[in-house]
Structures are given as C-alpha cells and as structure tokens.
Amino acid sequence: MFSVKIYDISNSDIAWCPGCGNFGILNELKTAFSELELSPNQVVIVSGIGQAAKMPQYVNVNMFNGLHGRTLPVATAIKLVNPSLIVIAESGDGCTYGEGGNHFIHTIRKNPNIVNIVHDNMIYGLTKGQASPTTPKGVKTTLQFDGVFVDPFNPIAVAVALNASFVARTFMGYTDLTIELIKKAIKHRGYSLIDILQPCVTFNKYNTYQWYKENTYILPEDYDPTDRKTAFEIAMDTEKLALGLIYLNESKEVYEDFQPRIELF
Amino acid sequence: MFSVKIYDISNSDIAWCPGCGNFGILNELKTAFSELELSPNQVVIVSGIGQAAKMPQYVNVNMFNGLHGRTLPVATAIKLVNPSLIVIAESGDGCTYGEGGNHFIHTIRKNPNIVNIVHDNMIYGLTKGQASPTTPKGVKTTLQFDGVFVDPFNPIAVAVALNASFVARTFMGYTDLTIELIKKAIKHRGYSLIDILQPCVTFNKYNTYQWYKENTYILPEDYDPTDRKTAFEIAMDTEKLALGLIYLNESKEVYEDFQPRIELF
Amino acid sequence: MKDKKIFSIVLSGAAGQGIQTVENLFTQIAKESGYNVYATKEYMSRVRGGNNSTEILISSKPVRSFRKKIDLLVVLNNNAIERLRDRISDNTIIIGEKNFVSKEKNSIPISLLEISNSLGSSIYANAVAVGILSGIINAEKTVIDEVIYEYFKEKGEEVIDNNLKAIIKGYEIGKQLNINFQIEKNGYVKKHMLLNGSQAVAKGAISGGCNFISSYPMSPATAVFTELAKASKKYNIIVDQAEDEIAAANMAIGAWYAGARAIVSTSGGGFALMEEAISLSGMIETPIVVHLGQRPGPATGLPTRTEQGDLDLVLYAGHGTFPRIIFAPASLEEAYYLSAKAFNFADKFQVPVFVLTDQYLLDSFYNVEYLPQIQVERYIIKTTKDYKRYEITESGISPRGIPGYGEGVVRVDSDEHDEFGHITENPKVRVDMVNKRMRKLNEILKEVIQPVLFGDENYEYLFISWGSTSQILKEAIEELDIEKVAMIHFPQVYPLPKETENYLSKAKKVVFVEQNVNGQFANLIRREFGIDTSNRILKYDGFPFSVENLKEKIKEAL
Amino acid sequence: MKDKKIFSIVLSGAAGQGIQTVENLFTQIAKESGYNVYATKEYMSRVRGGNNSTEILISSKPVRSFRKKIDLLVVLNNNAIERLRDRISDNTIIIGEKNFVSKEKNSIPISLLEISNSLGSSIYANAVAVGILSGIINAEKTVIDEVIYEYFKEKGEEVIDNNLKAIIKGYEIGKQLNINFQIEKNGYVKKHMLLNGSQAVAKGAISGGCNFISSYPMSPATAVFTELAKASKKYNIIVDQAEDEIAAANMAIGAWYAGARAIVSTSGGGFALMEEAISLSGMIETPIVVHLGQRPGPATGLPTRTEQGDLDLVLYAGHGTFPRIIFAPASLEEAYYLSAKAFNFADKFQVPVFVLTDQYLLDSFYNVEYLPQIQVERYIIKTTKDYKRYEITESGISPRGIPGYGEGVVRVDSDEHDEFGHITENPKVRVDMVNKRMRKLNEILKEVIQPVLFGDENYEYLFISWGSTSQILKEAIEELDIEKVAMIHFPQVYPLPKETENYLSKAKKVVFVEQNVNGQFANLIRREFGIDTSNRILKYDGFPFSVENLKEKIKEAL
Ligand SMILES: Cc1ncc(C[n+]2csc(CCOP(=O)(O)OP(=O)(O)O)c2C)c(N)n1
Ligand SMILES: Cc1ncc(C[n+]2csc(CCOP(=O)(O)OP(=O)(O)O)c2C)c(N)n1
Ligand code: SF4
Ligand code: SF4
Ligand SMILES: [Mg+2]
Ligand SMILES: [Mg+2]
C-alpha cells in the first residue's frame, strides 16, 4: 500500500467550508488510490466547475479541471487516447446531471472504462445554494423561495434504464463503503457511476449528515446487482435510498475496444 | 370535425423522399387536429432541424421552426407564457435524444403540458444517414462503416425512469393507433412523449416498414399503463417493441401551474 | 470639486465571517443618517475562508467609485492586512483583534469577539462592528433602531434586542475612539434609495415590462436572476431555472415569440453557450434581452472578479450577420434605465439586446436619488388571416404578431424564409431578407442612446470609456479638473452614432480606458471610424481601476 | 492567358436522380483521358426532389473556378431550365427528355430513360449520360473501362458489364451529336489526383498527424468527418460521433491533453456551441484544431449553400482574450497544406487553430498535380517530477507534457492558475499569465503564412480576398490581364503580418472581395491597420461568385 501522503498537494489552501462533506470524499479517494497502489502519474482526475470539482486541486495526480458540465467528454477522450491511464471524472450533481446531462446519458451508452464520481449534495454549492437537479421537492433554496416544485432527477434509475455497466450510490459518511466502491469501480471495466451523497453544510440544511443516515440503507451482502429489474425497483425507491453497488452489467462492451490505438510517445 | 384541409399550406413543395414515413405522420397529425377540432391559430408546432423537423412547414398552424435539438425549451416557454395554446414539440430522434438530450430529461422533470412527438427513424436523415442515438447496434451507416458499436438510447425506459407523465410509442404505419395516441396526448395534462417509429426509406435500410411490423406488437386493450414497474419491464424489451400508451402518471403536477400568469394582450 | 471629503472604511475578513451583514446594515445606517454612501466588495471564489474585503465610502457629496485609499481598516482575520498592504498608508487606522493588528503603526486593538461574548454569545461580533462604525460616523440612534428592526424583524424580538444591545455597545466604543471623521450630513440623502448594480438591473428590467426570466446560475450574474425571482409574485414574472444556458436562451426566445418580455442573466462562459440562440434571434427576428455580467476569462478565469473582456464576445456572437444592440451602463441609474430600455428596443427592433455589466458594477452599492418610471412600449399587433410575419418594409421592421392573438398564424423559421416564414432557397428572396434585416440598423441609429461628454468642452485630450469604468474615469477627471481634458462615456456601445467621429476628430489626443487586455472598444472604434486608437490604458488583473490610479494614468497620458 | 479554352457542362436534376454519380464517373473519365477537369455543385437541403446542378469544366489549362457560362446543359427534370435561365445563352446546347427541352433554342431531345430501358432497365440512365458526355469529349475507351471497373467492382461483373454497355451506347450517341468541342488533351494530367475540398482537408489533416476526430454531423462539414472516418483503420484515427458539438469540442481538447492530435469538423451553427470550449483551449493552452465549413446564416440559414460569413465568429469566439490562428485556403492544394500545418501550429503554439472553408470549396473537385508530404512536428516533452505545465517563458510557450509520459503530473486548469496549474486569485500571477498567453501572438507572427500577391506588381488597384473567393478572383484578374491591377490573397487571416500594411498602402485604390454582407475581412484590416476599406464587392445570396461576374465587378471598380 502506498502512503496517502504521495497524493497531497503542498501548500494547498482547501477552499471548502469547515464541516463540508467534500473533505470526507477527498480522504476516501486518496485512500482508495493508496490501497490500489496507483502512482500519481498514472491517474487523471477530470473535473468540471463547482465545489466538488475543486477536488483534483487537492490531489497530486494528473488534473484536467475543465468546464462546468463537461467532465465526461473530456474523460472519455483521454481514455480513448491513452487507455493505460486511470481516468476519473469527478464533479457535482449540478455539473454532471444539470449542465452535463446530455453527456451523462450518452457516455453511459458509449461505456468507456472510466469512473464517474458525483458529489451529490443536492444543491448548487459554489454558486450559493440554488436547487440542483437532485434537490428534493419542496426544499427552499436561495432561488426557489417557495421550495422546489419539480421532481428531482433520479440518476440511478436513468443509469439502470440505459443499462449502464456499474451503478452505485454511497454516503460519504460511510467511509469503508465509499472506499470499497471507489476501488471496485476503478477495477471494473466500463463506465462506473458512483453517486456519493454529500452534505453541504452551508446551503443544504435539509439533506444533512443526519438526514442521509436516516434516509438510506446499505444493500445486504447477498444482494445480486446483476438483475436489472430489481435494480430498477431499488432505484425507484426515493423514500429510502439504497447504498452499495445497485446494478452491474459485465457483459457490456467497452468503447475504447472499438477504436484504434494511437502512438503517443 | 374540422376539415383536414384547413391545415394545408398552399403551394408547398414537400421536401421528403417519396415513400418516406414522414408523409404518414403528417396525415395522422392533421387528422388528429381535425378530429379534435383545433383551429389553426390555437396550435403551435415547435420543431428543430432535420427531416422530421420540416413538419410544421407543411401544416397551417403557428410555427416555430427553431434550432436543432432545442424544441423542448422553446415549447415549454411558449406554454408557460400562454397556457391556452396547444403546444406540440416535434422533431427527429437525433434532434430530441441526441443534440437535445439534456432538454429531454429535464423537460420530463418540469412536466409542462405539451406534446412531444418524436419521428424515430433511427437515423440522421437530413444529414444523410449517420447513426442516431436510436440506431440499433451493428447497423452500418454512411459514417459507421463497420456498424454502430454503442448501445441505442432507450427513450421509453428513460422516460419511465424519470417518471414521465405520459409515455407512448407507435408505428406510423398503424394510422388509427397513431391518431388515437396523438389525440390522447393532446388531451392529457402534462408532458406527453410519443415516440413514433418511422421508416427512412433512403438511409435506413434496416428498420424498414416490414421490420417495424415484425418487431413490434400493440399492447393489449386491458394493459394498465399506470404501473411503473411493468412499464419499465416493457420498456426494457428491445427485441419486441411495445406500441401504445406504455406509462401514464396522472398525479404529476404541471409546470405552468406553479408560475404566474402574465398579461399578453 | 477637488475638496470633496471622503472617509474610506475597509472591512476585511474571511468568507462567512459576516462582512456582508456589516456592509448591509452599516451602509443603510449611514445613508439613513444623511451621508452619501458607496460600497463595493471583492471576494474569492469560495463560500468560507480565504480573504474578502468591502470598501465603504462615506462622503458629503455623492461618490460612486472605488478608491485605493483606506482611512479606517477593520480586520477580521489574520491575513487581511497582507493582502491590503499597498493600500495602507501612514494615515490608515487599523482596528481588529490584537494579534492581527499589533504590528501596525496606527492600530487600535479591539476584540469584537470578546465584546460579543461579554454580551452572552460570539454571534454578535458583527453587530458590535456595525456599532463601532456607527459610533465613528455619529449615526442617528433612531435610525439604527429602525434599520435593525427591519433587518431582523422576522427573527423575533429577542434577536432584535440582542443585536441592538451589541450595536449600542459598539457605538459607545466607536465614539470613544475619537477618530477624525469630518463628513457633513445632508438631509436629502435620507430620501434616496440604496441599491446595488444587480438590483438596478432587475428593477430596470421590471420597469421595462420584463415578465419572464430563464437562466442558469453563474457569478456574477446570478444576483439579477435572484432579484427577479424575488419579485416574481409581486410583478408576475415567470421564473425558470433552466437545465443549462442553451435551454435558458431558447426559452427566452420562445417566451418572446409567445408574447412575453424575457431576459436571461449570465456571464461570459454561460453566454458562450447561447450564441447559436442569439443567431436564431437574429434570424427569426424574435427578440431576446441578455444581461451579461462580465468577469475575467478565458474559461473559468477569475469567477468572482471583474473585467470588461466580453464586448467582442457579444459584438460578434452568433454565426451569420444580423443587427444587435449593446448597452453598457456606467452607473446604477444607467443600469436601471438601460435595462428598461432594452425591453422597449428589443420589442421595437426585434433584435437581440445586450446589457453588459460586470462584477464590479453589480456589487457596487450607493444611494440613488431617483429612478424614473419607464413607459413600457409594446409593438405587438393583432394578426389577420393573411398575416405575413416577415413582411418586407422600408424600415426592415415587420409588424410582429403572437400566436393566439388574431386570426392569423405566426410562423417563424430559422431557415431563410419568405414573407410568410416559409423556408426558401430562392437567392433573390435571400438577398431581400438579408437586406431587410440589416436595414434595421439604420432604424436603431435613429434612436441611439448618445455618448456623454464630461469635462472641458474645448478639450484637446479626450479619454474614452464605456461601462462601469466610465464612472471611475469621470471621478478621476472631475477631481483632476485640468483644462482641455474631457471624457466621453458610451452607454450604447453598438451600434455607434456617426457623431462619434466628430467628437474624436476634435481631440489632439484620444486615449481609451478599458478593463481588458486588448482594448476591445478601441478596436471597435478603429473598425468603425478608422482613427488611431493606439493610446490605451488597460487593466486586467481582475480588480477595478481606482480613482487614484486613473488620476495618475491620466496625468501620464497628457 | 486570355485564350484559355473551357468547355462548360452543367447537369441539372432532382436530388436522388444520380447527378452525383454522373459527376463522379465523368470527371474521372475526363481527367484520365488527359483533360483538366473542374466540377462544383449546388444542391438543395433535401434528399430527394427539388433541383440541383453540377457544373463540369473541361479545359486545356487548369481551371478551378465557377463559371456562369454553360456550353452544354443536360437536364434531367422539368424545372431545371427555369432555375438556370440566366446562365443559358444563345450558344448553350441543351440535351434532355423531349418534353423538358423542346421549347429551347439549341435543344437536342434525347431520352436517357428510353435508351436505358432499351438496355433492359431504367437504372442505366446515368450511365448513358456518362457515355454521351464521354463521347462528346472524345474520351479514351480504355479509360472508361478502368473507371467503371473501379467504381462498380464490388457489385460484381454483371453490373459492370451492363453499365459499360450503357456507357458505350451513350458514347456513340455523344459522338454523333457533333458538338463543337475543341479542348486539347494533356498527357500529364493523367498523373494528377482528382479530389474535392473535403478530401483535401481530410488528407491534409492526416498528413499533419491527425489521429482523433470527434464531431457531430453538419453540412457542409460532414464530408471531412466522413473522409477521416474512412481513413480510420489505415491511419489509426480514433473516430467519435459525439452526442452534440459541445461534447465534440471538449473531447478534442481532452484528446490533445492526452497526447493525440485532434480535430473537430463543423459549420457555423455547430461551432457557435463550441465557443466555451474554445475559450477553455485558450486558457489551458491545450490545442484544438477546428475545421469550419461555412454556409449562410444566421441560424439554419441556407444549410447547403455557400458564404464566408463566419470569419468574425471564429475571430472573436470564446469569452476572454487569448491568441488563436485562422487559416482560409483558396485552393485544394492550400486546403491540404493548411490543414496539415494547422496541427503543427496547434502543437507548437498551444492555441486553437481554425481552418475556415465553405460549402463551395468543399464541394469543388479538380485535378491536382501534387500534394507534398508534410513533416509532422511534435513538441511534447517527457515530464520530470517538478514539472510545471505553465512555466513562464520569454516566448510565452511552456513545454507541454502529457499524462503518463515522464515522472511528473500534468495539471491543467480552466481557472486562472500559477505555473503548476494550481488555481490562483493572485492579481500579479494573473497579469503574468495573461501576458504569457498573449506573447504567443508574436511567436505565431514569426511563422505567419504570408499573403500572396498576384497580378501586376506595380499595381494601383489592389483587390483583396481570402478563402475560396481568392481563387475565383485570381482567375478573373488573370483573364482580364489589365495593367496596374493586382490582388492579394490571405491564406492566414489571423494574426496578420505587419507587411500587410505595406502592400495596402502602395495601392491607389484597395477593394475587398468577400462573400458576406458586411465585409468581415475588410473590417479586420481596418481594425488592424486603420486604412480605408470602404470599397467592397460583397455577395451573400448563397451562391459563389462566378469568374464572369467578378470580371465585371473589377472593371466597374477601376
Ligand atoms: C457554463 C457555466 N455555467 C454556470 C457556471 C456557474 N457555476 C459554477 S459551479 C455551479 C454549480 C455547481 O453545482 P454542483 O455541480 O452541484 O457543484 P457543488 O458546488 O454543489 O459541489 C455553477 C452553476 C459555470 N461555471 N459555467
Ligand atoms: C447545432 C446543429 N448541429 C447539427 C446540425 C445538422 N443537422 C441537421 S439535421 C441533423 C440530424 C437530423 O436527424 P434527426 O433529428 O433524427 O431528424 P431526421 O432528419 O432523421 O428526421 C443534423 C445533425 C444542425 N442543424 N445544427
Ligand atoms: S458551500 Fe457546501 S458544498 Fe460548498 S464547500 Fe461549503 S459546505 Fe461544501
Ligand atoms: S432521407 Fe429518410 S427521413 Fe429524410 S425524407 Fe428521405 S426517407 Fe424520409
Ligand atoms: Mg452540488
Ligand atoms: Mg432521425
């Protein structure tokens, strides 16, 4: 196991609020890297714009901190060009499911071998608290004064509907589960979605640490993620959110396998 | 019943290929309008760009022939501003599920009371035959010389996953079914998707009239569209495509009901 | 004018420490006490921590521009002073926690926290600060009561009382500091409104009949979106938080088509995504009003800073060629007026209309005497059976109908089209339609918002500016008060009136002052009038010009 | 040069009637028979029906521009003649079905269908047409055999034989028509390549080391996408049909970041969606090559027609300010060369590079003597542990590493950043980084592709053009052959070399020739050099200039 320290960035002033769930994800990610013994130059984190998207600023690996909403096309291209890299597309719920929604659905179809980590705080953090696609109905925000009145986006159900190859959800407060899922996703061949529930202590006063604990459950050990119907039923349940690997489809072909290899150096 | 003629455009030279499925849809649409006795100035057809998107050029109602991929935001806005209009967003599979994919998923969430008619010929017609999001795997096209190698987009499954309020599929060759569904969708309060299977006789030599007949079935009369699980199971079946109203959710709130009414004239 | 008295207070601390609350409360108290007030802030792209600052100017005559000088610095965290080092002079008094300020020359250690704690909780530190400042400026106590009541009224009496107590405590301390503060009060200021740039734009939009906003959040343009959302119920404004900027722009155009008066509020990066829609607006002659709050690019750049780097962006936005109108207000009054006017122009000329602001202007507060009610002009007609949406007219403007109003059908088409809106490939019709659309430029010029001259009318040196920079330039020129020196501000930066050339050709030397790296307005002037525009004062570090800085630059340029 | 002999054939019919097959086969036969060949087409935005036409010029000396005149018109459907009326002269011979042509002066009724049917099926009509044309130009029969074999070889012997029979049948008819055709053959032409603009761009890209294309279909740019997809296996090119243009552009940038040489091919409306990505490329200094095939806007406009209306679009694309390079080829050789060069420049200067073509150029075919192999220049370095992606250098260019190559990590950031790519809000670092990026413009100018002068070097009248229009202008000037008249073509339209000014200031009168409504290049020249650019010959009906038309315009301008 590598030391987690090798992923530290020197003198970096972390711009998140004290108590923010992003700190936990940062540690979980670095721990997963170290447990998998990934050397920094082997990994690329592609992020968008938002609080979550600041992640690679604090991890000493290759970084592509691009545009809001555009993690997935960039990550897909990097993987196509150099399949030996481990490519993580990481960003917020707004970035991935809002601005980037079209890439989300079509990247699932393409199925490149990348890991898509979504920090799902159910809010637009960096722009100060507007509703994101996953904000629950009724929640009041800095823009939705009378509460959100549209149904939240269900990323898990959509991913299952599109027959994605690896669909997981976790809560950042469950460190072991989260590390395990990140590792599994990295080892899985194909597009892997990990929707990580994350409190935004500043702007989302509804989906708190407590709320996540009370409104989630961890899938049992013997849960079989390969049955799509069951996975969809689980995904449909938005009262009690299932955590773990919800759907796994290992028969899906990987995008880069259909493309020529190009010479890089 | 109004005469279908009132929807005719004088001297219009229809730009579709002889034998194209779009002709059937044109007739079905006009018939539905006439059976519902809609006066031309009451209806707006919003379309994008593509062969399907030429539709409103041939129908004498209000027309907003906008940009490729952007039917749904425009249609939603028109409905918000003037809820007394009947608003149809009509375009191709590429326009709606490709370029417009993000609007597709988020408009379902907003649930404005509009009808979304998608001419699904499983190909990019106007640009001469490249794969569309719904082109079946393996089909060779004018760009995918070795056949398409990504999974097709499943609009029905995604719409059900997003708990859309009205999800239907039909084949334009089945005139009565199609007219009936268009009428139902217009009368339904909320976002209604009608994915209309349509042959492109010039560029899609795989999904022919014959193919559609052989690979579809009409849902039985007693089918209950209100059960989401069943609807999803039906949507998952891509071997034999179900036709009819696949999913109906009448409890969904309508977007314009949450918005103020503005004075127009 | 040279003897204008200004007292400059700067508050500096981390995001989340409540500087904004202090700014809000104190500027209101100062204004209600009869002072001219100006406040502007700069902040990092983070929600907590880091270092932000707010400058508050108290003055006898109206002052509305950023100043470098600091008379009183209130520091709330430890690295505040280092960031502001080059603005601290020998006369700057520094207040703050002992360990933050002790090394400084004119420092007065005061522990806001201790005082607050002595009142029972640490949460009153901001109120104490408000009190100290209020004491220094000798604010009216009844005013304080009112402001605090208004601000906290929804939180209940206890909160009001406790905060008031903290303020009074601070007030006494402030008085005892005996800081040399010699600004006169003016009764009339009390009647003024205190607002910021975002509010001015939003109020302007409402005055212009705006009843639809669709946008996607983006700094610094979000505040205009929020202000309109707040006003939604009172003024019947449809509010849509779109899934992305493309949707937002297409919705706005759809809304105009259906008869609404719609705006989008965005910044450069978000606007870059709207360009295809702008071209659509140009083609189908369905208007759109765009508020673009500029921030430094390229790409994400400095998301919470200021720049005037997106003039070229809006000037050339969209493929193909079509007329457009671009406004760039210098002041809050202008922001209000032009934002209203934007809707009337959009409706009349059926083109995209831009209101170009920037972070600096949007976040600047001051007291404003009066915002006139603007007449909402509507140009929608009731259609007849044979209605032609694109009737060829001499002015290029075709009467605009909306669906459902009248017997006709309204058919708009993003393809080239004939008078009925029907798709065409006829080259003659094409040329007629291009010419028709382009003719609207002449009509727009007939009603152009004229450039404004300020300074010596017999100028030899002419400084040229646009947008928020003009206000700073104006105060610099006013204070320098040098003969033969003048400036022109362009509230409308496109299209430009012919008269511009006369203005410029009269000068011996023309100098452009802009907040961008390439002098985009200077380039436009050169493109339009061919004159030498090589003298340029440019700044692009993300911070506005200060009046002092510009005064020096002007002197160098003479 | 004035006596250049050209025989102009125009084929006209509905979409789907097979004009393209005739064009393909006949141009090859003509070329292989030793004629200089040129072909260009115009077509409606539909797949079947309507009216399209192809012009084929057969000449003794190379001819590469659209001509208005028609020597021989072959009509395949009924409204063809009306659409071409103003190009039909007293000398035009018209061939076609009796009921289409009978009312015309020099008409020869021939029923292709009847002849085809007499051979057993109606599907040989096109082959008969090819035969007739081949007979008229006295093509070599062995050549016909070869061309037909190549074309149909995958369809089997029967198809080959039947088509050959039909062609021979047509050939005999063509000979018997005794049409006055007096063009000389040149043996060397046989060694030439016959290709069109799309192929030239694609071949150029491949020569420039392109190994990645991500695009979304859009006329007229799709053909370049298709050509590269065809070459994917042979040259190892990764091909991605993206979900939208935003994805395409971001993928291309991601691909460059990872070490590929990527291109996107699009048109104005698609490009409008890529602007945020262009700004990203500018900021993170990760290149992108964009092929933009222009068509008339705004919005959907005339999707299958031609225009040069998107120079402003690419010149100012993206928010914020950063360097870029814009090429605009006039000929197929230049399209090839500049498309290759685009990749070397992109790699070297780490900026967005544009290749600006248009429908007319992309759809123009002719024989080209030679396309040189271009040296692929790579500038990627192997990183060390302490690698700084944005090292401040004198040239502004920082050595570019890629992930996984070397010990270092490669960190790019769309926010303003320090040398390591780490996000910063430090105003000094900001200014250093802006200056660093902008310095690259000087480096680019050191290697600028120089403008090309043609005509009388002691000119008084100077015509200026860019892109495909330059080729037409060149032939017009060549044929007019008037003293004191010259032209300059700009293969690189941005940035412009200082020398431009000298060229222009030498002329008594400068006239800009462009295919857009506002004279975008003239505006750029005026912006850059301040000279008078008010003399402009502009066209914007969706069709290219003809040589004849330009000759007249030139004479008027003298
Ligand atoms: C094109 C574009 N639109 C809008 C923005 C402004 N913006 C920055 S972050 C953000 C939302 C972030 O929300 P999310 O992705 O959920 O991340 P979080 O901050 O909550 O972690 C937005 C709208 C932008 N940078 N670019
Ligand atoms: C932004 C943009 N990108 C691309 C195009 C080019 N384009 C026009 S139609 C079309 C595809 C049409 O396919 P579909 O929507 O399935 O309609 P169909 O022609 O098959 O009916 C494309 C890619 C465009 N007009 N605008
Ligand atoms: S605003 Fe919310 S998501 Fe952002 S850093 Fe603060 S707590 Fe975390
Ligand atoms: S190309 Fe296909 S979809 Fe388009 S008109 Fe022809 S048959 Fe119909
Ligand atoms: Mg979020
Ligand atoms: Mg289609």
Side-chain angles (χ1 to χ4, degrees), chain A residues 218-252:
Chain A
I218 297 176
L219 287 167
E221 291 261 314
D222 63 354
Y223 171 74
D224 172 15
T226 62
D227 182 55
R228 194 156 156 225
K229 265 186 241 170
T230 317
F232 187 73
E233 276 175 45
I234 286 175
M236 265 178 21
D237 184 358
T238 50
E239 295 296 303
K240 201 85 177 159
L241 304 170
L243 305 180
L245 177 53
I246 297 170
Y247 181 59
L248 179 67
N249 171 0
E250 290 192 301
S251 69
K252 241 183 132 148

Side-chain angles (χ1 to χ4, degrees), chain D residues 43-55:
Chain D
Y43 46 99
M44 290 184 166
S45 178
R46 55 194 293 165
V47 171
R48 292 281 178 273
N51 217 290
N52 300 343
S53 73
T54 289
E55 168 171 292

Side-chain angles (χ1 to χ4, degrees), chain A residues 56-57 59 61-62 66 255 259, chain D residues 239-240 378 406 410-411 413-414:
Chain A
Q57 298 280 352
V59 188
V61 298
N62 295 289
Y255 198 44
Q259 298 277 5
Chain D
V239 177
D240 174 272
R378 301 207 68 192
V410 181
R411 295 170 64 81
D413 188 1
S414 75

Side-chain angles (χ1 to χ4, degrees), chain A residues 73-85 87 112 114 255-256 259-265, chain D residues 211-214 236-239 251-262 378 380 400 402-403:
Chain A
V74 171
T76 303
I78 294 170
K79 189 72 189 180
L80 286 178
V81 170
N82 188 346
S84 71
L85 295 170
V87 181
I114 61 173
Y255 198 44
E256 55 270 32
Q259 298 277 5
R261 289 282 163 274
I262 64 184
E263 221 177 279
L264 293 177
F265 33 82
Chain D
N211 49 23
F212 192 108
I213 180 162
S214 48
N236 286 336
I237 302 169
I238 294 171
V239 177
M251 287 189 83
I253 296 171
W256 274 96
Y257 166 79
R261 290 163 84 94
R378 301 207 68 192
I380 287 170
R400 188 166 71 91
I402 58 174

Side-chain angles (χ1 to χ4, degrees), chain B residues 22 49-53 68 91-96 99 119 121 123-127 132 198, chain C residues 276, chain D residues 216-219 245 269-270 273 295 300:
Chain B
N22 281 319
I49 295 296
Q51 300 285 25
H68 184 61
S91 213
D93 45 334
C95 192
T96 313
E99 187 83 48
H119 300 208
N121 57 8
I123 209 78
Y124 282 4
L126 188 58
T127 48
S132 89
Q198 171 231 323
Chain C
E276 196 195 11
Chain D
Y216 189 83
M218 187 160 196
S219 306
E245 285 85 354
L273 294 165
R295 68 189 218 189
T300 311

